[in-house]
Structure formats: structure tokens, C-alpha cells
Amino acid sequence: MQDYEHAATADPFAKAVSFFTQLICDLSGPAALALPHQDVEETAAARGRELARLLLQAHLDLRARHEEAELTALDPYARAALAGGRTRLERGHHSELATSVATVRVTRCVLRSPGQANCYPADTALGLPHERYSLGVRKLTVLEAVRGSYDTVMEAITRCCGKVVGERQVEHLVQAEAVDVAAFHAARIPTPQSADVLLVLSADGKGIIMRPGHLREATRKAAERAKQTFRTRLAVGEKAGRKRMATLAAVDDADPAVRRPHDIIATPGGRSTARMPRPGPKAQAKWLAGSVEHDPEHVIAAAFDQAQARDPQHRRCWVVLVDVARHQLDLIQAESEHRGVNIHIVLDLVHLIEKLWAASRCFHALADPAVEDWIAVKAARVLRGCGRQAADEIRADRLGRRWSAARARRAGHPQSEPSQQHLHLAGASRPCAVSDHNGPGMPWAKER
């Protein structure tokens, strides 16, 4: 390969043209014709990125020449009017810009004056950020950050752009780009919907592992008082005390999609192909919020503010999807009463099924295939609006069996049996066709 650095430099694009010509010669030569496709693909991708860098660098060099010529042609009074009284022109100032095709050098002029900060007209014309990372790199960083860890972000950026940013800089870029999220959502105006479109709200909690210095005071003190039985793991019932509970909320619109219980839960023995399940509702115009800093009251109130903006006259059907957290349910009911709006509360079916799986271990062996049919019958009973009867059946079945003392204690444990309140709340008497967000939807709700 010939050294393209020796190409003429009068034209800023001369290096790119020379490199592109040499690349064509290499890919059309006898050596390349004998290579497998993966080697040719890798060569074209790597040298294609270098060609893109040369083109971007040539464009920036061309703009630097035009800027220098224009500023040199101006008299001092015109420069003062352009740069707020700065008249002294200096050429050849350089800064690096990390872009999605590698790092390039930006050459620009500076207008200076004693006692004033430097003025770089090219920075405004190019829209350069204050730091060295281009908007393309920032966008790629955010897109990758929402998919995984910072290590994964670093691997993706390095694979696509080369070594242009470090892991600590990635963290700072993500934090800097996130500051405008709340203001962006607050400025958006929800699209008005007709009265027959459901207004769906949901709230949930998620424990997030925190550094010791960022724990809430009560959690930090509990972690300091806790005594760990084992050195390498936690014993039964022990908690590490390293988490803060983040509150998540969502608001969306959904067209009603009435379904029957067997559209949601498979019948005992499995679902047949004779009848296709009816499709569930589809969330539209979804609004999401979450915070580990603010209390659940703040996040739930923000969700109700968003719902209030979508339906200020309370003409639509408000549906609230909850899990088994009693504290969140109390906050939701208090917020609805404060705003004077009727809501339909739906218990997430996935959480209910987990309770049924826990209860099934009291009646079936761990590897018994019949447990699936047992859970399907109980879940279908709840979906028909017979939650109270399902709870009574489980309780009566437990009392009618003779078990060992250990098994009786496990069966009577409050976490081993779905409470009557959970089953009754999940299976109420009126159709509401809401979205389940965590799995199959539930077609029933209880009005509160």
C-alpha cells in the first residue's frame, strides 16, 4: 500500500481521495481476490471508517481556511462588532473532537481582547459542545446506556467508533444528557382522546443496590445493626441492607379489549389450537417516570398529574394496575380521593400467580406436573370474579389435610398462601380490559 500522506495538501480532500483510490486498488488486486469474504468485510469496515474520518477532517480543514480568510479580510471595527469588542485575531488554535468515526482536530481562529474571555466564532458556527465529545458520540452513548452496563456501553462505542471515550467519561455523558428528561416530558402536551379510550396508570417498586453513603438513614442504621451469620452468603431471612426502593410509574392510553379468562390463562392440559386467544390491549402514548430520590407519594402524584392532564374533566375510565404492595395501594386510593376521581384497581396477575405457586407447594410435590393444572383452575376462577371462593377453597383444602408439623407451618405462613384480599381484589365483577405490562392482561377490575 502506498503512503497516502505524501499526497498533495493544497486540497483538504486530497488525502481522502488518495486513500480512497488506494483502497479501491487494494480491494481489486489479486491478493484481495483470494481472500474469504470475512477478511474482505473486515478490511472494508475498518478502512471505511478511516476514510470517513479523513472526509470529516478535510471538511473541518476547509471550513477553517474559509474562516481565516473571512476574519482576515475584516477591519478591526467589524471584528469588534462581531465579537463584542474583541479585535485581536489569532490563527491556528486547535482542539480535538471525539466523533463517531474517530477523533479529529478542529482548527479555528480566536478573537481576543485584554480582560475578556476568548471568542471562537467557529464553535458557534459548528455547534461544538463545551467538551470534546460530539453529539453523535453522546447520542450513541445514551442509546447503549439504556440497554446495559457501562462496560457494555464502552465495548459498543469502541467497536463502532474506536477508542474515543473512557468509562468515567461515559458515566458523565449519560448523567449530563439525563438532566433534560423531566423538562422534556413536562413540555409535551398529551394528545386528547375520546371518552371510550381507557386511561391506564400503574405503579411498582424496585429495589436498587446502593453505595453505603447513599442509603436512607433508616436503612443505613439497620444495615449497621445487622449481624451476618455466614461470611460468604446470607442466611435464611437475612437482608444485606444495601438497597433503596425506587418507585416506578406509567400512564398510557389503551382501547378496550374485552377478553375471557381462558384468553389469558391456559386451560388445564394446555391450550389447544381450535380457538385463537383474543388479543389484549395495546398501550399508546406511554409516559414513564421513576425515582430513587423522591418518596413514592411524589412519583404517584406525578402519575396522577399526567393522567389529569390527559383527562381534566374525568370523563374517561381510569384503570390503575398495582401489585401486592399495600403501601402503594393506599397511596393510590388516597390520591384518587384527593382529586375526586373514580378509579378501577386491578391486581397484576403475574404477582397473583406467584402466590398461587407458593400455595401449590403445600398440596403438590415440587416436580408434580399436576401443579400447573391446579394453578390454572385457581387463576381462571379468580379471573371469573370468584376470588373469594378461590381463597376459601384453598383454605378448606389445607384444613382438610393431615400434615406434619413442618408442613403445616409452611402452609400457614402468610407468604405461602394468597390472601383472600389479593384474590378478591384480582377477581371482581365488572369487565375492564386493561393492560398487564408484565405479562398477559387481566380483563377484570374492582371499582374503588
Side-chain angles (χ1 to χ4, degrees), residues 181-237:
V181 172
F184 171 79
H185 283 289
R188 298 184 67 183
I189 301 176
T191 303
Q193 299 289 341
S194 58
D196 58 341
V197 177
L198 299 176
L199 183 55
V200 184
L201 300 84
S202 64
D204 201 354
K206 175 64 178 178
I208 300 177
I209 297 178
M210 306 294 292
R211 293 179 178 178
H214 296 279
L215 291 172
R216 290 189 173 94
E217 188 66 19
T219 307
R220 184 185 61 81
K221 291 182 178 180
E224 293 175 352
R225 294 193 303 266
K227 295 182 180 181
Q228 190 169 335
T229 304
F230 303 112
R231 179 176 56 85
T232 57
R233 61 172 297 171
L234 296 175
V236 177

Side-chain angles (χ1 to χ4, degrees), residues 28-51:
S28 61
L33 296 177
L35 294 175
H37 84 279
Q38 63 269 22
D39 293 343
V40 180
E41 180 183 12
E42 183 177 354
T43 300
R47 296 178 64 181
R49 186 172 63 194
E50 174 63 14
L51 176 60

Side-chain angles (χ1 to χ4, degrees), residues 363-377:
F363 307 101
H364 300 272
L366 294 178
D368 188 359
V371 67
E372 290 183 325
D373 294 343
W374 186 87
I375 293 175
V377 171

Side-chain angles (χ1 to χ4, degrees), residues 95-119:
S95 65
E96 290 187 342
L97 181 65
T99 71
S100 57
V101 294
T103 302
V104 295
R105 186 177 65 171
V106 182
T107 303
R108 68 253 206 258
C109 298
V110 58
L111 294 174
R112 307 182 64 182
S113 181
Q116 290 185 302
N118 293 345
C119 175

Side-chain angles (χ1 to χ4, degrees), residues 147-311:
R147 298 189 179 103
S149 64
Y150 286 125
D151 291 336
T152 305
V153 176
M154 280 292 303
E155 294 175 2
I157 295 178
T158 304
R159 183 172 57 253
C160 178
C161 312
K163 188 66 175 178
V164 297
V165 63
E167 184 171 348
R168 179 172 296 181
Q169 287 73 27
V170 166
E171 296 182 17
H172 292 166
L173 290 178
V174 173
Q175 294 173 3
E177 297 303 319
V179 297
D180 297 326
V181 172
F184 171 79
H185 283 289
R188 298 184 67 183
I189 301 176
T191 303
Q193 299 289 341
S194 58
D196 58 341
V197 177
L198 299 176
L199 183 55
V200 184
L201 300 84
S202 64
D204 201 354
K206 175 64 178 178
I208 300 177
I209 297 178
M210 306 294 292
R211 293 179 178 178
H214 296 279
L215 291 172
R216 290 189 173 94
E217 188 66 19
T219 307
R220 184 185 61 81
K221 291 182 178 180
E224 293 175 352
R225 294 193 303 266
K227 295 182 180 181
Q228 190 169 335
T229 304
F230 303 112
R231 179 176 56 85
T232 57
R233 61 172 297 171
L234 296 175
V236 177
E238 289 184 345
K239 294 183 179 180
R242 297 180 298 161
K243 292 184 178 182
R244 287 181 62 174
M245 186 62 66
T247 304
L248 311 175
V251 180
D252 59 75
D253 302 324
D255 293 324
V258 179
R259 292 180 290 169
R260 291 178 291 184
H262 291 139
D263 293 322
I264 301 167
I265 192 74
T267 58
R271 192 184 300 277
S272 65
T273 59
R275 184 179 63 85
M276 295 299 296
R278 299 176 182 177
K282 302 296 182 182
Q284 304 172 5
K286 184 180 293 186
W287 174 89
L288 302 173
S291 177
V292 71
E293 178 183 3
H294 299 288
D295 293 333
E297 295 90 337
H298 182 274
V299 179
I300 292 176
F304 272 83
D305 289 340
Q306 174 66 204
Q308 183 78 17
R310 300 189 183 204
D311 183 28

Side-chain angles (χ1 to χ4, degrees), residues 26 61 72 253 325 409:
D26 293 342
D61 293 342
T72 303
D253 302 324
R409 286 194 301 269

